[in-house]
């Protein structure tokens, strides 16, 4: 598949992007927002196959991650790593590519949270929105993650607790226990596909954004985003919206429900054999559902 790459210059560095398919002359382009905060585009790379449906698909690495400018000196600066920072980056990208007047948006996990934040501002060029595997409140997210944790085998729960209390979450014992949770509720394709593993490796190599905005683990959101919620603003999303989640998702139905309850024009697809990554776990069905939604009259 043909693709082009480039960079968008910003006030704090540059943002890398990749465009799969022709940017002009087709259906409205689809911009992909990766998760984290602090992931890379790699694990959502499969969405590039939607270019075969006649639209350009745009991936990018958010500031601080992947091939974009890294800012390790900003570690712990929660007043720097903000939603507004990433909204500004998205606006620069659409302007740079000349698509700000007409585009679709798909955000996965944190990317869906960011996409919702973008949509409540009612940008004139946004046509359709896909929110994939995203919570509407991080308070609910943490509560649900710890509920799922209590359903793990006791020895895995004990390993998690033991290392958290000892401050040894970097240990092999803790990582192995965390991997058991991930295999159930993050990506049920095991071993993880190479593109997914690349993202996890990238977070480990530079956790600046993840640790600052989220915190050390999925179970302990103590970073600058800990109080985040968009529940009271969801009625301001006026574009048609598709919700995606997996039956075994760490973004449980309770996490996703506010989107379904409060966005006026919304539909919800739950993938029965997936957890947090239907685009990997049930790729063909997931991409087909997204294409059908984007192409709907």
């Amino acid at each position: 598949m043909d693709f082009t790459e480039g960079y968008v210059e910003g006030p704090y560095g540059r943002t890398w992007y990749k465009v799969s398919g022709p940017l002009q002359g087709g259906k409205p382009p689809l911009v992909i927002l990766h998760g984290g905060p602090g992931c890379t585009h790699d694990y959502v790379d499969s969405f590039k196959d939607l270019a075969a449906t006649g639209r350009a698909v745009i991936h990018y690495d958010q500031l601080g991650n992947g091939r974009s400018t890294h800012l390790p000196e900003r570690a712990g600066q929660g007043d720097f790593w903000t939603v507004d920072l990433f909204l500004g980056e998205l606006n620069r990208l659409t302007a740079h590519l000349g698509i700000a007047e007409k585009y679709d948006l798909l955000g996965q996990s944190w990317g869906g949270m960011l996409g919702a934040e973008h949509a409540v501002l009612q940008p004139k060029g946004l046509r359709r929105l896909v929110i994939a595997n995203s919570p509407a409140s991080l308070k609910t997210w943490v509560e649900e993650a710890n509920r799922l944790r209590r359903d793990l085998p006791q020895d895995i729960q004990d390993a998690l607790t033991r290392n958290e209390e000892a401050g040894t979450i970097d240990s092999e014992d803790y990582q192995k226990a965390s991997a058991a949770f991930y295999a159930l509720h993050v990506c049920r394709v095991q071993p993880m596909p190479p593109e997914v593993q690349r993202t996890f490796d990238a977070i480990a190599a530079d956790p600046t954004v993840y640790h600052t905005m989220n915190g050390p683990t999925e179970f302990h959101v103590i970073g600058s985003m800990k109080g985040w919620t968009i529940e009271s603003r969801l009625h301001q999303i006026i574009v048609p919206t598709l919700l995606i989640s997996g039956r075994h998702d760490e973004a449980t139905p309770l996490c996703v429900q506010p989107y379904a309850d409060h966005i006026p024009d919304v539909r919800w697809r739950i993938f029965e054999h997936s957890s947090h990554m239907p685009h990997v776990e049930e790729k063909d069905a997931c991409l087909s559902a997204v294409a059908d939604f984007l192409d709907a009259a």
Side-chain angles (χ1 to χ4, degrees), residues 29-270:
L30 175 64
V31 181
I32 308 296
L33 307 179
H34 67 68
C39 289
T40 66
H41 81 284
D42 299 86
Y43 82 101
V44 286
D45 190 60
S46 64
F47 286 116
K48 70 179 185 295
D49 290 353
L50 288 169
T53 64
R55 57 177 45 84
V57 179
I58 300 154
H59 285 83
Y60 71 101
D61 286 333
Q62 295 163 23
L63 186 69
N65 307 290
R67 303 180 189 183
S68 296
T69 298
H70 287 236
L71 298 166
E73 68 276 13
R74 296 281 191 172
Q77 297 182 13
D79 57 346
F80 177 81
W81 300 106
T82 63
V83 169
D84 284 345
L85 175 75
F86 293 106
L87 288 176
E89 180 182 44
L90 174 58
N91 290 336
R92 283 190 296 275
L93 176 71
T94 58
H96 175 84
L97 294 174
I99 63 171
E101 297 300 316
K102 193 173 187 180
Y103 59 96
D104 296 325
L105 201 59
L106 185 154
Q108 199 280 334
S109 197
W110 144 253
M113 297 156 60
L114 180 61
E117 288 277 7
H118 181 72
V120 300
L121 300 175
Q122 301 180 4
K124 64 179 181 179
L126 180 61
R127 196 186 69 104
R128 285 180 174 252
L129 173 66
V130 182
I131 298 174
N133 318 100
S134 306
S137 161
L138 284 182
K139 179 178 182 292
T140 305
W141 169 268
V142 171
E143 291 172 350
E144 287 293 275
N146 282 282
R147 180 183 65 79
L148 294 174
R149 171 174 166 159
R150 290 192 293 271
D151 291 335
L152 293 171
Q154 191 61 49
D155 61 324
I156 295 174
Q157 293 187 55
D158 292 344
L160 292 170
T161 302
R162 180 172 62 249
N163 285 281
E164 288 165 354
E165 291 177 348
T168 53
I169 63 173
D170 291 331
S171 68
E172 182 178 350
D173 186 40
Y174 190 82
Q175 296 305 315
K176 183 178 178 180
S178 295
F181 177 86
Y182 276 51
L184 289 173
H185 301 298
V186 178
C187 182
R188 294 169 78 88
V189 177
Q190 295 292 318
M192 287 186 179
E195 70 275 16
V196 178
Q197 191 59 54
R198 284 198 300 273
T199 286
F200 281 105
D201 290 345
I203 297 172
D206 184 359
T208 298
V209 180
Y210 182 72
H211 282 181
T212 302
M213 296 183 72
N214 182 85
T217 72
E218 302 291 285
F219 311 115
H220 303 93
V221 179
I222 58 174
S224 59
M225 289 285 291
K226 65 182 179 182
W228 179 87
T229 178
I230 198 169
E231 292 170 312
S232 66
R233 294 175 285 141
L234 289 173
H235 65 281
Q236 298 174 49
I237 297 179
I238 58 175
V239 296
T241 301
L242 171 65
L243 305 177
I244 289 173
S245 63
R247 179 61 63 191
H248 310 283
D249 205 330
E250 61 177 340
T252 65
L254 196 62
C255 292
V256 179
Q257 191 66 50
Y259 292 114
D261 289 342
H262 300 299
I263 297 176
D265 185 356
V266 68
R267 66 281 295 145
W268 186 358
R269 173 72 181 271
I270 298 176

Side-chain angles (χ1 to χ4, degrees), residues 254-296:
L254 196 62
C255 292
V256 179
Q257 191 66 50
Y259 292 114
D261 289 342
H262 300 299
I263 297 176
D265 185 356
V266 68
R267 66 281 295 145
W268 186 358
R269 173 72 181 271
I270 298 176
F271 289 88
E272 295 296 329
H273 305 292
S274 294
S275 58
H276 199 51
M277 299 187 187
H279 61 277
V280 173
E281 298 159 297
E282 295 180 71
K283 175 185 171 182
D284 291 345
C286 180
L287 267 59
S288 178
V290 172
D292 288 347
F293 167 70
L294 296 179
D295 288 341

